[in-house]
Structures are given as structure tokens and as C-alpha cells.
Amino acid sequence: MTDWLWLLVALPLLGALVNLFFGRRLGEPASGWLALIVVVASFLIGAAASVGFFTGDELPETVYLFEWIPILGVDAAILWDPLSALLTLIVTGVGSLIHLFSIGYMHGDERFPRYFSFLNLFIASMLILVLAANYAVMFVGWELVGLSSYLLISFWFTKPAAAAAGKKAFIVNRIGDWGFLIALMIIFATFGTFDFETIFAEAPLMFGVGSGTITAITLLLFVGAAGKSAQIPLYVWLPDAMEGPTPVSALIHAATMVTAGVFMIARSAVLYELAPASGVVVAVVGTATALLAAVIAVAQTDIKRVLAYSTISQLGYMVLAVGAGAYSAGMFHLTTHAIFKALLFLGAGSVIHALAGEQNMFKMGGLRKPMPITWITMAAGWLAIVGIVPFAGFWSKDEILFAVFNRGDGWLILWLLGLVVALLTAFYMTRLFVLTFVGKPRWDDGVEPHESPPSMTIPLIVLAVLALGLGAWNTPFRLSFEHFLEPSFEGVPHPEGASTSEFVIFAGLVLVIAIIGLAAAWWRYTRDPLPAEDGSFWRNALAGFHVDDFYGRTIVAPGKAIATWSSEVFDRKVIDGVAEGTARGIRDAGSGTSALQTGQVRWYAAGMAIAGILVIVFFLFIGGAF
Amino acid sequence: MSDIVTVDWYLILAAALFAIGVAGVLIRRNALVMFMSIELMLNSVNLTFVAVSKELGLIEGQVAALFVMVVAAAEVTVGLAIIVAIFRLRASANVDELAELKG
Amino acid sequence: MAEAVTFGIFAIVALAGAVTMLVAKNPVYSAVGLLSAMFALAVMYILLDAHLVAMVQVIIYAGAVMTLFLFVIMLIGVDNPNAYGPRPVSQSIVTWVVAGVFFAAIVLAGSGAWVTGSAAFGTADLNGTIENVADEMFGTWTIVFLSTVMLLTIAAVGTIALAYFTGADDDEAAA
């Protein structure tokens, strides 16, 4: 079955190319269906190939494809293990649903085929990233997802905000990529290869725990992860990325691409185990991000921005988990989050679609009646992220917090902060849900909300079922997810599982906290009239605590000043001076000799012929004919 | 294999054809005929390639001749397309009227 | 002897065709002259045991290229009066001097032993069959062969682009 794995990447890539060149001819629904079919095909191949991992009788395998950079010994190869299989299934599975959703959502857009071309390109890039068997190939995927993310954020590039958001995402990610690249250089200088298998086998033999080289590598890798997974201080691009079409936000900026950083850390688990200091940094940054984003999310009024900050916050959880060494817990939260956050985003998209583009939650309300399917599926997503039994988010969140608690000592502070985040999450998500679906209608006059077409509601239903049921994959009573991932984390110490009594206490605690947050928000936002939110906290949090302004003053403005100086002073005076001086000299020489240019072709031909004669004569001369 | 016709004869014939081609480019003002002259020159070069290939017993000369033909074919399509385009613009194939390059 | 006779006949045909091409007022005659020169050259190739080159010469040059020429002549009109204006004497003089010197230079170059080695034909057994040429072309010269593929593609694209050139607008015509 592994012989077919290259099709995983090739099919979406083919779809992207076909849609790019022939999309306009295929026309509106056809190009979308084509894009959907290739992703579904990828999903089926991935599912068929990973059956062995579920039954537990297949071992990880490296599939060699072709020699890529022989001089560095880099091959294009696929590492097919449970970790990459899991990510493949998430990317293609959620991807398929979102392609289906997009067919309805993008209806009528004049660049419909182009959109699906980009979406397929994203799937292909993301699969390159997750399937890579070495850091070099992974970096290719890493950059390609950045590219497709940029293309899709600024898909409606005629809107200045979208164009700017695309640029911002690209540039901020570039800062992270810088860290990743330096890490790659150090890795190559240290190990002489990019190959995962070799590196992870040799690292523990070459270095002891706490080695400086490994710490540097892991910290720099984390810079890359922070860019892609929107962690402090590089998270600022993600809220703006919501300028893209909503299904894109769901697929790229919630479910898949932003988890690439978490995935990369999990993939490098062996290295992180050798650098406990890096683990602490990762965990602290994750917690801080989770907390800050949760606080900001509380005050947002735009439904998509709430979800964006919520994504950052949940990514913080995952980063905390991998920082704490609970890799399978982190990956489990990644999986459940991919499901329920995609669900929430698609639900939000359905709402925005129904309200003709309205994104302000204070102009929604009471959508329960006109949009019953969206309402009930969104409810599943909401309960999942809040962490109510038995929805998926409860199990994964609980597991992370338990793993952090188990580390003891200073980690308890992170654990406490994690609980605060859980409280805030419950609060702002309930606020979102209540403002959107409950209470009196507050929408503008003339807007007639309606339920979305089946191509949009079917993905919602599928995701809602998964959000309800997926948690059962890895409950403390039945750790099949952890066993599933075990082959990927061979040689990485395994955090202890909880005993049943511990579990009841911890889960109960998390559940109580979630219910407190939920109840508080429910009480606050079902009142009539709605509470006015214009205090200084609300204003500052709404503005994201002015982090963008701060970056603007401290980084962007000096950068612009340097650029202005270079272009206005240095370029104009020095570079142009040289260039213009040269040009002037050549022009004078040219006007002097232009009399030779009669414009008559035959004179030029005669010149060539005479020159030809001279060449022959020259060779005769040196040949000794004269 | 006869020894009467030596390679020199082929080369002289090629040189003559080449010279006629040069004259054609210089003297004719019909762009098409100039073009034909260029083709004649290319052909004469092919003749030298093949003749010398025979002389030296190396097949590379014939391969080179084939490549020259490919290049000539490409050149002919583009060149004729340019002539047609110019003709549509000027209703003339007289190269003397095309003196935009005059300095 | 037979070879010498064949060579003589077809050398005359080639030269006659070339001169016809050069002097004919009507471009159709020029084309026919060139066509006969090309056929004559194909015979030369056979004499030189270059069978594949001879075949390609007939198919590509005499067939395709000349057909294209005739087609274009027909397209833009055979009786174009602009082509027959009086030409300055200076041009004719320059032309014949340049052409003559060129001929002399090439013959001189070709007659030097340092260009072609020995003056007599080598006795090397050389046969330009498809198989022999293909061995060489797809062995040693694969990259060059593939480059010609690219060249032909570019030429085709360029021709199509030129076909869209209407001449209506100087600036937007190329689009």
C-alpha cells in the first residue's frame, strides 16, 4: 500500500494544476467537484494505507521517492508512521468537508476555479509537510503552505484589508521561517543529514540531556513553530488572516496549517527530550499565548475574530502540551481541535453567508429559528471547545492539563493558568454562541436569514458528529490514541496515565470550571438589554491590547525609515548617480555612432557578411595559409 | 567508393551556394526571397557538414546537419510569421521600407 | 565514374536552382529554384551515404519548409510592385564584391589541409542509416536533442503570438 503514497501529494497537486489552467473552462460547480474528488481520493488512499496502524500490525516505513539534492544527500522521501498518517487523515478528511462546504460558500464568486486551485495546492503542500521524511522536504512543505495561505488570505485582493492581511501573514511567518532555517543549518552542520530517522537515532548517542547544541536547535525550531502556529510574539498575523474566505479560515487558519508548528515539535520530540530548557520555554510561551488570546477573545465583537483568538488560545494549549512532553496529548488536542474548530468556523461561515456578510455578533441573535441545522451543529462545536462531557474537547483538554499537573513543581503555575484559560474559553465561546443564536433578533433591516444549502450543511453535520464522538478514541479508560501514536514516539518517555480516582477529581475540576464559565456568560448575555461593553478593559482587549500598534512603532516604523532612506537618499543619489552617469556616457557614444545605423536591413547583412569574411581570413592567417 | 569526386568538390559547391545565398540577402529587397537565401546558406552549411562527416568517418557531422535542420525549421516558422505580421501592418514585403531601426 | 557523373549533374542543378532563386523577379520562381536546389542537395547526401539526412532534407525542407514559403507567397500576393524598384548601383557592386570574396575565402579555407585533414576521401566505413544516426543523437547528444524540443516549442508559441499580432494598435497588438 505504501507504494501508492506518492499519490497523496500528486493528486491534489494535479487538481491544483488542472484548475489553474483549465478551471475557467470547467466552470463553476465542475472545478469545485474536481477539487473535492482529488482530496477525497487522497483521503481514501491515506485511510487505506493507515489501516495497519489502527490494527497495530504495521510498522513505520520510509518510502523513498527520488533523489532530490544529491550533494547534500537529501532524498524526496515519505515517512509513513502513525503521526504522519494521523495528520494526513485530518488534512484530507477535514479538507474534503471544507471543499464540499466551499462549493456552496463560494457560489457566484468570479474566481471560483482559482479558489479551488489554491485550496488543492494547500492540501498538497500540507501533505508534503506532514509526510516529509527529512527536515529539508518538510521545509519545502512549510514554505508552500505559507504560500498557499498567503494566496488564500488575500484571495479577495481588491479589498485593501485582505491584501494587507496576506502580506502581514507572509512577513510574520518569514520571521519564524528564519528561525527554522537557522535550525536546519545547525542540524546539518551537526548531523550531516536532514533525515529524521538518522538524526533521532544519533542525537541521544551524540549529546547528553541539556546539551547546548540541541537546546539551540530546538529553540530555533520553536521560533519557526511560533510563526506558523501563531504563538507569542508572532501571533499577530492570525486574527488578520480572517480577511480570507471563511472556509479558508476553517481549513488553514484553524484546523490544519497553524498546527504545523505543533506537529513539527512533536516530530522533533526526541530532540526536545534532550533539551528540557527548551521544553520549559515552549510550555511557558504556549501558556502565555493561550491566556493572552483568551482574554482578547472575550472582548471581540466580530464572530470570526473571536474564533481566531480562540484558535490562538487553543494552539497555546497544544504548545503547552508538547512543551510539557505530553506529545500524544498535544496531538490528540490537535485532532479534536481540528474537528471542532473547523466546525465552528464553518458554522460561522454559514451564519455570515445567511446574513449577507454581517460579522458583528451584536447584530445577530436569535438565529436558532431560521437556521436550525447550523444552530444544532454549532452547539456541538461550542460544547466541544468548552469541554463538556462527552464532547471531544473535554477529553483532550483534560489530558493536557493532567499531564502538566503531573510534572509538578513550577509546572503547577502553568497548570493553574491553563485552568484560567479553560474558564475564559467557556466564557467567550458561550458569549459567541448566545449572541449569535439565542435572544432576540438584532440583525439589520432587510436581511432575511435562511438555512444554507446542503453542500454547506452536510460538512457541518459530519463534523458535529465527530466533535461529539471523537473523544472516545482516547479516554483515560481506553488509551487507544496513545497506543496508536506509540510507534512515532519510540524512545520518548511516556507520561503516566491517570488512575480512575485521579481522573474523576481532575476531570471533575475542569468540568466544573467550564460550567462556571459557561453559566456566567449565559447569564450575562441572555439579559435584555445586552450589557454595554465600553469600559477601558473592553476597549483595550477589543484592540488586542494594541500589540499591532506596538509592533508598528518599534519594528515596522524603523524598518520603513531605513527603507525610505535607502530608496530616497542612497538609491537616488549613489546608485542612480552611477547608473545615470554610465547611461549618459553610453548615450553620448551612441548618438555619435548612430549615423552607422541606416535602418536598412541589407547594410546590416552586408556588415555580417564582411565580418564573416574577416573571421575566415583570421583563421586562415593563424592556420598558416598565408 | 570513387576517388574522382573528392571532398573538395563538395566543399566548393557548398561555398558557391553559400556565396549565392549571401548575394541574395544583400541584393534582394523582397523579405521572402531574402529568407530563402538564408535557407540556401543553411543548406550549403549542411552540405559541408555531411561531406566532412564522410571524409572523417564521423557520424557527428550528420547529427549536426539534422540539428541545423531543426533550427532552420523553427526559424522559418517564426520568420514567416513575422513577415506575415509585417505585411499585415504595411501591406508590403519590401525590407527597404522597414527602417525603424535608423539611428 | 557513375558517382562523378551524378555529382556533376546535380551540382549543376543545385547551382542553377540557386541562381534562379537569386535573379527571378517573381518570388514563386525563386521558391521553385530553391526547391530544386534542395532536391539536388538531397541527392548529394545520398552520394555521401547520409541516407537519413537525405530523407529528412526531402521531407522537411523540400516538403514542409518550401510549402510554407509558397503558402506565404500566395498569402501576401505574388505580384507586389514594391519589390521591383530600381536599385542603386553601389548596392549591386557591394553585393557582388562581398559574395565573391566570401566564395573565395571559403574555397581557400576548404582547400587547406588543416581544415579537413587529408584531401582525399577517407575510407572509413560510414553509413548514415537511421540506426547509426539515432545511436549518436540519443546517446551523446541527448541534451542537445531535448533542447531542440524546447526550441521548437518556443518557436510554435512565438508563431502563435505573432499570429495574434493584428497591427491595429501598435502597443496592444501583442496582447
Side-chain angles (χ1 to χ4, degrees), chain A residues 231-270:
Chain A
Q231 297 298 297
I232 290 174
L234 300 177
Y235 70 91
V236 289
W237 64 272
L238 189 56
D240 288 11
M242 299 301 133
E243 290 294 341
T246 306
V248 169
S249 310
L251 176 62
I252 300 184
H253 305 117
T256 54
M257 185 190 83
V258 287
T259 61
V262 182
F263 165 77
M264 191 249 280
I265 296 176
R267 181 57 97 198
S268 316
V270 175

mmCIF file of all heavy atoms in Angstrom, chain A residues 231-270:
data_model
loop_
_atom_site.group_PDB
_atom_site.id
_atom_site.type_symbol
_atom_site.label_atom_id
_atom_site.label_comp_id
_atom_site.label_asym_id
_atom_site.label_seq_id
_atom_site.Cartn_x
_atom_site.Cartn_y
_atom_site.Cartn_z
ATOM 1 N N GLN A 231 2.146 31.775 17.901
ATOM 2 C CA GLN A 231 2.416 31.936 19.326
ATOM 3 C C GLN A 231 3.050 33.311 19.578
ATOM 4 O O GLN A 231 3.580 33.939 18.661
ATOM 5 C CB GLN A 231 3.386 30.835 19.791
ATOM 6 C CG GLN A 231 2.827 29.437 19.645
ATOM 7 C CD GLN A 231 1.590 29.237 20.494
ATOM 8 O OE1 GLN A 231 1.628 29.310 21.712
ATOM 9 N NE2 GLN A 231 0.460 29.015 19.846
ATOM 10 N N ILE A 232 2.978 33.762 20.820
ATOM 11 C CA ILE A 232 3.651 34.999 21.193
ATOM 12 C C ILE A 232 5.114 34.870 20.809
ATOM 13 O O ILE A 232 5.725 33.837 21.084
ATOM 14 C CB ILE A 232 3.532 35.251 22.714
ATOM 15 C CG1 ILE A 232 2.087 35.601 23.077
ATOM 16 C CG2 ILE A 232 4.471 36.348 23.176
ATOM 17 C CD1 ILE A 232 1.848 35.719 24.562
ATOM 18 N N PRO A 233 5.750 35.831 20.188
ATOM 19 C CA PRO A 233 5.200 37.143 19.818
ATOM 20 C C PRO A 233 4.738 37.216 18.369
ATOM 21 O O PRO A 233 4.497 38.309 17.881
ATOM 22 C CB PRO A 233 6.416 38.043 20.017
ATOM 23 C CG PRO A 233 7.563 37.171 19.606
ATOM 24 C CD PRO A 233 7.189 35.757 19.936
ATOM 25 N N LEU A 234 4.627 36.092 17.694
ATOM 26 C CA LEU A 234 4.363 36.134 16.250
ATOM 27 C C LEU A 234 2.911 35.798 15.939
ATOM 28 O O LEU A 234 2.596 35.403 14.826
ATOM 29 C CB LEU A 234 5.291 35.144 15.528
ATOM 30 C CG LEU A 234 6.783 35.398 15.709
ATOM 31 C CD1 LEU A 234 7.606 34.326 15.003
ATOM 32 C CD2 LEU A 234 7.156 36.758 15.149
ATOM 33 N N TYR A 235 2.004 35.952 16.925
ATOM 34 C CA TYR A 235 0.630 35.523 16.667
ATOM 35 C C TYR A 235 -0.179 36.550 15.883
ATOM 36 O O TYR A 235 -1.281 36.251 15.435
ATOM 37 C CB TYR A 235 -0.088 35.233 17.992
ATOM 38 C CG TYR A 235 -0.361 36.474 18.795
ATOM 39 C CD1 TYR A 235 -1.564 37.155 18.632
ATOM 40 C CD2 TYR A 235 0.565 36.971 19.696
ATOM 41 C CE1 TYR A 235 -1.813 38.308 19.337
ATOM 42 C CE2 TYR A 235 0.323 38.119 20.399
ATOM 43 C CZ TYR A 235 -0.863 38.795 20.223
ATOM 44 O OH TYR A 235 -1.099 39.936 20.902
ATOM 45 N N VAL A 236 0.363 37.774 15.705
ATOM 46 C CA VAL A 236 -0.471 38.885 15.240
ATOM 47 C C VAL A 236 -1.056 38.677 13.851
ATOM 48 O O VAL A 236 -2.026 39.336 13.486
ATOM 49 C CB VAL A 236 0.320 40.203 15.254
ATOM 50 C CG1 VAL A 236 0.550 40.653 16.678
ATOM 51 C CG2 VAL A 236 1.641 40.048 14.532
ATOM 52 N N TRP A 237 -0.465 37.761 13.075
ATOM 53 C CA TRP A 237 -0.993 37.630 11.710
ATOM 54 C C TRP A 237 -2.303 36.879 11.670
ATOM 55 O O TRP A 237 -3.118 37.087 10.780
ATOM 56 C CB TRP A 237 0.029 36.933 10.805
ATOM 57 C CG TRP A 237 0.338 35.511 11.188
ATOM 58 C CD1 TRP A 237 1.285 35.097 12.061
ATOM 59 C CD2 TRP A 237 -0.309 34.338 10.700
ATOM 60 N NE1 TRP A 237 1.281 33.739 12.156
ATOM 61 C CE2 TRP A 237 0.312 33.237 11.335
ATOM 62 C CE3 TRP A 237 -1.340 34.102 9.796
ATOM 63 C CZ2 TRP A 237 -0.084 31.930 11.086
ATOM 64 C CZ3 TRP A 237 -1.716 32.799 9.561
ATOM 65 C CH2 TRP A 237 -1.092 31.731 10.197
ATOM 66 N N LEU A 238 -2.529 36.008 12.663
ATOM 67 C CA LEU A 238 -3.680 35.109 12.543
ATOM 68 C C LEU A 238 -5.029 35.825 12.612
ATOM 69 O O LEU A 238 -5.905 35.551 11.795
ATOM 70 C CB LEU A 238 -3.585 33.985 13.581
ATOM 71 C CG LEU A 238 -4.603 32.866 13.417
ATOM 72 C CD1 LEU A 238 -4.526 32.254 12.041
ATOM 73 C CD2 LEU A 238 -4.401 31.787 14.448
ATOM 74 N N PRO A 239 -5.240 36.767 13.562
ATOM 75 C CA PRO A 239 -6.541 37.452 13.546
ATOM 76 C C PRO A 239 -6.803 38.164 12.229
ATOM 77 O O PRO A 239 -7.923 38.122 11.699
ATOM 78 C CB PRO A 239 -6.423 38.445 14.702
ATOM 79 C CG PRO A 239 -5.382 37.884 15.595
ATOM 80 C CD PRO A 239 -4.420 37.172 14.712
ATOM 81 N N ASP A 240 -5.760 38.782 11.645
ATOM 82 C CA ASP A 240 -5.971 39.483 10.377
ATOM 83 C C ASP A 240 -6.238 38.522 9.232
ATOM 84 O O ASP A 240 -6.865 38.888 8.241
ATOM 85 C CB ASP A 240 -4.738 40.330 10.043
ATOM 86 C CG ASP A 240 -4.650 41.536 10.954
ATOM 87 O OD1 ASP A 240 -5.412 41.569 11.939
ATOM 88 O OD2 ASP A 240 -3.831 42.428 10.682
ATOM 89 N N ALA A 241 -5.725 37.281 9.396
ATOM 90 C CA ALA A 241 -5.901 36.306 8.318
ATOM 91 C C ALA A 241 -7.370 35.991 8.084
ATOM 92 O O ALA A 241 -7.720 35.352 7.095
ATOM 93 C CB ALA A 241 -5.136 35.030 8.633
ATOM 94 N N MET A 242 -8.230 36.428 8.996
ATOM 95 C CA MET A 242 -9.655 36.146 8.830
ATOM 96 C C MET A 242 -10.264 36.933 7.687
ATOM 97 O O MET A 242 -11.439 36.780 7.378
ATOM 98 C CB MET A 242 -10.418 36.467 10.130
ATOM 99 C CG MET A 242 -9.952 35.641 11.289
ATOM 100 S SD MET A 242 -10.146 33.887 10.938
ATOM 101 C CE MET A 242 -8.580 33.247 11.439
ATOM 102 N N GLU A 243 -9.457 37.804 7.041
ATOM 103 C CA GLU A 243 -9.954 38.517 5.859
ATOM 104 C C GLU A 243 -10.205 37.545 4.710
ATOM 105 O O GLU A 243 -10.905 37.866 3.768
ATOM 106 C CB GLU A 243 -8.938 39.569 5.414
ATOM 107 C CG GLU A 243 -8.817 40.748 6.359
ATOM 108 C CD GLU A 243 -10.078 41.570 6.396
ATOM 109 O OE1 GLU A 243 -10.881 41.457 5.468
ATOM 110 O OE2 GLU A 243 -10.258 42.299 7.389
ATOM 111 N N GLY A 244 -9.588 36.377 4.751
ATOM 112 C CA GLY A 244 -9.797 35.397 3.687
ATOM 113 C C GLY A 244 -11.199 34.824 3.761
ATOM 114 O O GLY A 244 -11.932 35.054 4.723
ATOM 115 N N PRO A 245 -11.590 34.065 2.737
ATOM 116 C CA PRO A 245 -12.895 33.404 2.771
ATOM 117 C C PRO A 245 -13.006 32.497 4.010
ATOM 118 O O PRO A 245 -12.008 31.911 4.430
ATOM 119 C CB PRO A 245 -12.904 32.563 1.495
ATOM 120 C CG PRO A 245 -11.885 33.188 0.606
ATOM 121 C CD PRO A 245 -10.866 33.791 1.495
ATOM 122 N N THR A 246 -14.187 32.402 4.583
ATOM 123 C CA THR A 246 -14.345 31.669 5.845
ATOM 124 C C THR A 246 -13.914 30.200 5.771
ATOM 125 O O THR A 246 -13.280 29.714 6.706
ATOM 126 C CB THR A 246 -15.785 31.784 6.343
ATOM 127 O OG1 THR A 246 -16.083 33.160 6.409
ATOM 128 C CG2 THR A 246 -15.949 31.168 7.702
ATOM 129 N N PRO A 247 -14.236 29.448 4.703
ATOM 130 C CA PRO A 247 -13.762 28.058 4.680
ATOM 131 C C PRO A 247 -12.235 27.980 4.757
ATOM 132 O O PRO A 247 -11.686 27.033 5.326
ATOM 133 C CB PRO A 247 -14.259 27.534 3.328
ATOM 134 C CG PRO A 247 -15.335 28.443 2.928
ATOM 135 C CD PRO A 247 -15.026 29.766 3.523
ATOM 136 N N VAL A 248 -11.571 28.984 4.194
ATOM 137 C CA VAL A 248 -10.111 29.018 4.286
ATOM 138 C C VAL A 248 -9.690 29.192 5.733
ATOM 139 O O VAL A 248 -8.781 28.509 6.230
ATOM 140 C CB VAL A 248 -9.568 30.167 3.416
ATOM 141 C CG1 VAL A 248 -8.097 30.389 3.694
ATOM 142 C CG2 VAL A 248 -9.783 29.861 1.962
ATOM 143 N N SER A 249 -10.367 30.105 6.437
ATOM 144 C CA SER A 249 -10.054 30.278 7.851
ATOM 145 C C SER A 249 -10.235 28.959 8.578
ATOM 146 O O SER A 249 -9.434 28.601 9.444
ATOM 147 C CB SER A 249 -10.975 31.319 8.478
ATOM 148 O OG SER A 249 -10.987 32.481 7.694
ATOM 149 N N ALA A 250 -11.285 28.231 8.208
ATOM 150 C CA ALA A 250 -11.560 26.974 8.896
ATOM 151 C C ALA A 250 -10.476 25.956 8.614
ATOM 152 O O ALA A 250 -9.955 25.311 9.519
ATOM 153 C CB ALA A 250 -12.915 26.428 8.451
ATOM 154 N N LEU A 251 -10.097 25.828 7.339
ATOM 155 C CA LEU A 251 -9.161 24.768 6.970
ATOM 156 C C LEU A 251 -7.737 25.126 7.352
ATOM 157 O O LEU A 251 -7.041 24.342 8.006
ATOM 158 C CB LEU A 251 -9.244 24.525 5.459
ATOM 159 C CG LEU A 251 -8.250 23.492 4.912
ATOM 160 C CD1 LEU A 251 -8.517 22.141 5.522
ATOM 161 C CD2 LEU A 251 -8.347 23.406 3.406
ATOM 162 N N ILE A 252 -7.313 26.306 6.942
ATOM 163 C CA ILE A 252 -5.897 26.636 7.057
ATOM 164 C C ILE A 252 -5.601 27.275 8.392
ATOM 165 O O ILE A 252 -4.651 26.917 9.077
ATOM 166 C CB ILE A 252 -5.491 27.560 5.898
ATOM 167 C CG1 ILE A 252 -5.753 26.857 4.594
ATOM 168 C CG2 ILE A 252 -4.042 27.961 6.029
ATOM 169 C CD1 ILE A 252 -5.306 27.602 3.390
ATOM 170 N N HIS A 253 -6.429 28.237 8.774
ATOM 171 C CA HIS A 253 -6.085 29.049 9.924
ATOM 172 C C HIS A 253 -6.771 28.565 11.196
ATOM 173 O O HIS A 253 -6.860 29.285 12.167
ATOM 174 C CB HIS A 253 -6.404 30.502 9.613
ATOM 175 C CG HIS A 253 -5.723 30.925 8.358
ATOM 176 N ND1 HIS A 253 -6.399 31.316 7.229
ATOM 177 C CD2 HIS A 253 -4.426 30.930 8.024
ATOM 178 C CE1 HIS A 253 -5.536 31.560 6.273
ATOM 179 N NE2 HIS A 253 -4.331 31.338 6.718
ATOM 180 N N ALA A 254 -7.292 27.346 11.165
ATOM 181 C CA ALA A 254 -7.812 26.774 12.407
ATOM 182 C C ALA A 254 -7.471 25.308 12.499
ATOM 183 O O ALA A 254 -6.892 24.853 13.466
ATOM 184 C CB ALA A 254 -9.326 26.967 12.469
ATOM 185 N N ALA A 255 -7.783 24.551 11.429
ATOM 186 C CA ALA A 255 -7.686 23.097 11.575
ATOM 187 C C ALA A 255 -6.308 22.557 11.241
ATOM 188 O O ALA A 255 -5.795 21.703 11.952
ATOM 189 C CB ALA A 255 -8.732 22.432 10.684
ATOM 190 N N THR A 256 -5.691 23.037 10.172
ATOM 191 C CA THR A 256 -4.506 22.315 9.723
ATOM 192 C C THR A 256 -3.220 23.119 9.768
ATOM 193 O O THR A 256 -2.328 22.837 10.564
ATOM 194 C CB THR A 256 -4.731 21.775 8.307
ATOM 195 O OG1 THR A 256 -5.123 22.845 7.479
ATOM 196 C CG2 THR A 256 -5.784 20.717 8.311
ATOM 197 N N MET A 257 -3.109 24.166 8.916
ATOM 198 C CA MET A 257 -1.785 24.756 8.765
ATOM 199 C C MET A 257 -1.204 25.262 10.071
ATOM 200 O O MET A 257 -0.025 25.061 10.354
ATOM 201 C CB MET A 257 -1.804 25.897 7.761
ATOM 202 C CG MET A 257 -0.406 26.422 7.506
ATOM 203 S SD MET A 257 -0.347 27.939 6.572
ATOM 204 C CE MET A 257 -0.616 29.127 7.850
ATOM 205 N N VAL A 258 -2.029 25.922 10.879
ATOM 206 C CA VAL A 258 -1.491 26.507 12.101
ATOM 207 C C VAL A 258 -1.026 25.436 13.083
ATOM 208 O O VAL A 258 -0.287 25.743 14.015
ATOM 209 C CB VAL A 258 -2.529 27.423 12.779
ATOM 210 C CG1 VAL A 258 -2.692 28.699 11.990
ATOM 211 C CG2 VAL A 258 -3.836 26.726 12.953
ATOM 212 N N THR A 259 -1.464 24.203 12.862
ATOM 213 C CA THR A 259 -0.982 23.156 13.754
ATOM 214 C C THR A 259 0.368 22.612 13.304
ATOM 215 O O THR A 259 0.943 21.759 13.977
ATOM 216 C CB THR A 259 -1.980 21.999 13.826
ATOM 217 O OG1 THR A 259 -2.117 21.456 12.519
ATOM 218 C CG2 THR A 259 -3.329 22.461 14.327
ATOM 219 N N ALA A 260 0.867 23.128 12.177
ATOM 220 C CA ALA A 260 2.134 22.616 11.647
ATOM 221 C C ALA A 260 3.258 22.781 12.664
ATOM 222 O O ALA A 260 4.120 21.911 12.799
ATOM 223 C CB ALA A 260 2.494 23.327 10.343
ATOM 224 N N GLY A 261 3.234 23.909 13.392
ATOM 225 C CA GLY A 261 4.288 24.131 14.375
ATOM 226 C C GLY A 261 4.249 23.085 15.473
ATOM 227 O O GLY A 261 5.283 22.523 15.874
ATOM 228 N N VAL A 262 3.044 22.800 15.943
ATOM 229 C CA VAL A 262 2.884 21.784 16.979
ATOM 230 C C VAL A 262 3.342 20.436 16.458
ATOM 231 O O VAL A 262 4.067 19.691 17.133
ATOM 232 C CB VAL A 262 1.407 21.717 17.438
ATOM 233 C CG1 VAL A 262 1.252 20.704 18.551
ATOM 234 C CG2 VAL A 262 0.932 23.076 17.880
ATOM 235 N N PHE A 263 2.948 20.144 15.228
ATOM 236 C CA PHE A 263 3.340 18.889 14.605
ATOM 237 C C PHE A 263 4.860 18.787 14.522
ATOM 238 O O PHE A 263 5.448 17.741 14.822
ATOM 239 C CB PHE A 263 2.729 18.807 13.209
ATOM 240 C CG PHE A 263 3.338 17.748 12.336
ATOM 241 C CD1 PHE A 263 3.019 16.420 12.518
ATOM 242 C CD2 PHE A 263 4.256 18.089 11.346
ATOM 243 C CE1 PHE A 263 3.587 15.445 11.720
ATOM 244 C CE2 PHE A 263 4.825 17.118 10.557
ATOM 245 C CZ PHE A 263 4.492 15.796 10.747
ATOM 246 N N MET A 264 5.483 19.914 14.124
ATOM 247 C CA MET A 264 6.934 19.884 13.954
ATOM 248 C C MET A 264 7.628 19.600 15.294
ATOM 249 O O MET A 264 8.599 18.829 15.355
ATOM 250 C CB MET A 264 7.379 21.216 13.366
ATOM 251 C CG MET A 264 8.811 21.211 12.899
ATOM 252 S SD MET A 264 9.791 22.247 13.936
ATOM 253 C CE MET A 264 9.401 23.846 13.261
ATOM 254 N N ILE A 265 7.111 20.211 16.358
ATOM 255 C CA ILE A 265 7.716 19.954 17.673
ATOM 256 C C ILE A 265 7.511 18.494 18.064
ATOM 257 O O ILE A 265 8.431 17.826 18.554
ATOM 258 C CB ILE A 265 7.117 20.905 18.731
ATOM 259 C CG1 ILE A 265 7.478 22.343 18.388
ATOM 260 C CG2 ILE A 265 7.634 20.552 20.120
ATOM 261 C CD1 ILE A 265 6.867 23.356 19.297
ATOM 262 N N ALA A 266 6.303 17.987 17.787
ATOM 263 C CA ALA A 266 6.045 16.584 18.135
ATOM 264 C C ALA A 266 6.953 15.667 17.326
ATOM 265 O O ALA A 266 7.481 14.683 17.838
ATOM 266 C CB ALA A 266 4.582 16.245 17.876
ATOM 267 N N ARG A 267 7.157 16.000 16.061
ATOM 268 C CA ARG A 267 8.031 15.211 15.205
ATOM 269 C C ARG A 267 9.461 15.224 15.759
ATOM 270 O O ARG A 267 10.165 14.215 15.708
ATOM 271 C CB ARG A 267 7.971 15.791 13.787
ATOM 272 C CG ARG A 267 8.784 15.081 12.766
ATOM 273 C CD ARG A 267 8.463 13.624 12.622
ATOM 274 N NE ARG A 267 7.555 13.314 11.532
ATOM 275 C CZ ARG A 267 6.884 12.171 11.457
ATOM 276 N NH1 ARG A 267 6.962 11.274 12.417
ATOM 277 N NH2 ARG A 267 6.081 11.929 10.453
ATOM 278 N N SER A 268 9.859 16.374 16.308
ATOM 279 C CA SER A 268 11.216 16.503 16.842
ATOM 280 C C SER A 268 11.265 16.124 18.316
ATOM 281 O O SER A 268 12.164 16.564 19.043
ATOM 282 C CB SER A 268 11.714 17.934 16.664
ATOM 283 O OG SER A 268 11.394 18.418 15.397
ATOM 284 N N ALA A 269 10.296 15.338 18.765
ATOM 285 C CA ALA A 269 10.187 15.032 20.194
ATOM 286 C C ALA A 269 11.508 14.558 20.780
ATOM 287 O O ALA A 269 11.883 14.967 21.890
ATOM 288 C CB ALA A 269 9.114 13.959 20.394
ATOM 289 N N VAL A 270 12.242 13.732 20.023
ATOM 290 C CA VAL A 270 13.498 13.204 20.554
ATOM 291 C C VAL A 270 14.441 14.343 20.922
ATOM 292 O O VAL A 270 15.096 14.316 21.972
ATOM 293 C CB VAL A 270 14.146 12.266 19.524
ATOM 294 C CG1 VAL A 270 15.497 11.814 20.006
ATOM 295 C CG2 VAL A 270 13.241 11.089 19.246
#
